[in-house]
Amino acid sequence: ARFRIFGPPEGLYATSITALIESSEWKSETEIINAYLESMKFAYGENQRNIKAKEVLGTLLSNVDVVSQVRDTVEYEITDLDHYYEFLGGLSRAVEEQRGSNPEVLIADTTREKIKVEDVKDALKRGVITRITNPKWLDAMLEHGMNGATKIADRVEYMLGLAATMHSIEKWMWDKTAENIVLNKERSEKLKKANPWAFRKLVSRLLEAEKRGYWKAEKEIMERLEKEYLETEGTLEESVP
């Protein structure tokens, strides 16, 4: 009862969730939940630090009704950084597992004079619409060549992380992502030219989303994605001396 602050062990930051998502080496969401609990089980209190208290953390999480995140900059939406699916998503999923039902997940937007509190689904929708499915944003990123292509691919990976931890990435989000990037011939060619490794990663994340059941993609789209992946894979293999 003395502990209310939990986090990684002293001297470290982040959790092992990102490593799981990035490597694709996880079989079920249980592994993601365990990764969060194992990473964040260290308790901190008055005159006590770095105390392993996984059971206490689990008990406290079982009584959580609301999970919240403060957004304090207009530079980032919750779809723009892996820390959002890692911490907000990881906590939300752990609470769901411990209490047996979904908590309410809210975003407190403090970027304006008047604070706005919104449901995480609305925040995700804004992030997807203004970034990864926005032709103007995509084209602006591609003007930055290799680095811009990497940032685009990263956002698709973050969508997968958000899908795995918060189950809030809707079908239309995946559809529009594929439509505006991979299925758009001009844009996909630019991306492949700028950074074929990023393009392969992006396509592989879309394929993974469908394989894991987060996206019910049409057959024609899946066939196109598989074709693009194999062709890019072949091109990269041929480029290796």
Side-chain angles (χ1 to χ4, degrees), residues 6-18:
F6 292 83
E10 270 192 296
L12 296 180
Y13 178 74
T15 73
S16 57
I17 292 178
T18 54

Side-chain angles (χ1 to χ4, degrees), residues 20-182:
L20 287 177
I21 298 298
E22 290 169 5
S23 67
S24 299
E25 293 181 357
W26 54 283
K27 295 180 179 179
S28 71
E29 291 177 5
T30 299
E31 294 176 54
I32 293 176
I33 297 167
N34 288 336
Y36 180 83
L37 294 175
E38 286 295 327
S39 297
M40 301 292 286
K41 68 183 179 183
F42 298 88
Y44 297 83
E46 186 177 4
N47 301 321
Q48 289 186 298
R49 304 174 63 86
N50 205 43
I51 306 299
K52 292 182 180 179
K54 186 177 179 180
E55 291 186 5
V56 176
L57 175 59
T59 299
L60 292 173
L61 293 179
S62 69
N63 294 308
V64 170
D65 296 316
V66 179
V67 175
S68 66
Q69 169 79 45
V70 174
R71 178 174 180 254
D72 58 5
T73 174
V74 295
E75 293 184 14
Y76 300 111
E77 296 287 351
I78 67 172
T79 53
D80 289 334
L81 296 171
D82 54 8
H83 292 320
Y84 286 111
Y85 77 70
E86 175 185 16
F87 289 112
L88 179 64
L91 176 58
S92 301
R93 191 68 183 83
V95 168
E96 179 186 351
E97 181 71 12
Q98 295 297 319
R99 63 176 260 169
S101 59
N102 294 324
E104 187 174 9
V105 185
L106 303 175
I107 305 295
D109 191 337
T110 65
T111 58
R112 298 181 181 181
E113 184 176 349
K114 186 176 181 180
I115 297 175
K116 177 183 178 182
V117 178
E118 59 185 347
D119 187 274
V120 69
K121 292 182 179 179
D122 294 326
L124 280 172
K125 182 179 179 180
R126 183 179 61 249
V128 171
I129 290 175
T130 60
R131 302 292 203 269
I132 201 65
T133 65
N134 181 356
K136 290 184 178 180
W137 183 86
L138 292 168
D139 292 338
M141 293 303 293
L142 285 173
E143 290 179 5
H144 295 278
M146 177 177 284
N147 187 53
T150 298
K151 296 300 183 183
I152 293 173
D154 285 344
R155 260 64 172 196
V156 179
E157 182 172 272
Y158 303 158
M159 283 177 64
L160 183 62
L162 290 164
T165 56
M166 290 199 280
H167 304 160
S168 296
I169 301 296
E170 301 175 40
K171 181 181 183 299
W172 69 264
M173 297 177 180
W174 295 113
D175 288 342
K176 286 293 184 180
T177 298
E179 176 187 332
N180 283 290
I181 304 175
V182 184

Side-chain angles (χ1 to χ4, degrees), residues 189-219:
E189 289 301 322
K190 285 183 178 180
L191 205 156
K192 281 186 278 189
K193 184 177 180 180
N195 191 335
W197 295 273
F199 184 78
R200 179 181 61 179
K201 172 184 172 179
L202 186 156
V203 175
S204 71
R205 292 313 188 201
L206 291 172
L207 291 170
E208 184 177 352
E210 201 278 338
K211 181 180 179 180
R212 293 189 184 277
Y214 298 130
W215 177 29
K216 301 288 186 183
E218 281 72 21
K219 182 180 178 181

